[in-house]
Amino acid sequence: MALVFCRSCGREIDESAVTCPHCGAAQALVFQINPDAIPEGVRGWSWGAFLLTWIWAIGNSTWIGLLALFPPLWFIMAIILGIKGREWAWKNARWDSLEHFNRVQRLWSIWGLVLVLGFILFMILVVVVVPATLFWHWMPQMHSPDGVTV
């Protein structure tokens, strides 16, 4: 049984006292927070964790996500991080509020989508546009001056 000081009169009182037995002043309520409790609004699919896997894991102190660096485990970890990532991020990092957490996770999702779409567009450019450009650039040189194909 620990003793604390009254917020009003300063005398020692039991830490579980709701009011001071000496002056009657109300004491601060102490809420015990369950560290395993996940607030509403945290659970759900995480596109940022799914698309950015190990980068997201480092940014959210979710070290199990580093297993995505091993090629055989990459896709499995991406799915697991997509499903459980938000909960793990909530438990592993310090957040100012639920709104702060959701704002940060939304930014991870946006950046994940931007990078994946950018990569897809780059691959289209490399696979389709560059060969087509080279083909049309070299096409005139494949014909002889009299119009006969060489």
Side-chain angles (χ1 to χ4, degrees), residues 6-116:
C6 171
R7 296 176 57 177
S8 180
C9 68
R11 292 181 162 168
E12 285 188 341
I13 59 172
D14 183 68
E15 68 179 350
S16 62
V18 177
T19 60
C20 175
H22 306 289
C23 69
Q27 303 302 302
L29 296 177
V30 178
F31 294 100
Q32 210 169 18
I33 298 172
N34 181 358
D36 294 329
I38 304 291
E40 284 298 318
V42 169
R43 287 186 174 91
W45 181 261
S46 175
W47 282 106
F50 176 73
L51 297 171
L52 298 174
T53 59
W54 63 271
I55 300 168
W56 178 92
I58 292 171
N60 286 280
S61 302
T62 306
W63 307 117
I64 195 167
L66 294 179
L67 289 173
L69 290 171
F70 298 104
L73 298 176
W74 172 80
F75 191 67
I76 295 167
M77 279 310 299
I79 292 171
I80 292 171
L81 285 172
I83 294 169
K84 297 290 287 181
R86 290 176 56 90
E87 294 174 38
W88 289 341
W90 176 261
K91 290 180 182 178
N92 294 337
R94 304 229 182 255
W95 305 100
D96 296 337
S97 64
L98 182 60
E99 291 78 23
H100 175 237
F101 171 79
N102 284 327
R103 188 171 55 248
V104 170
Q105 295 307 311
R106 190 174 313 111
L107 284 174
W108 276 106
S109 296
I110 290 169
W111 276 106
L113 289 172
V114 165
L115 291 174
V116 167

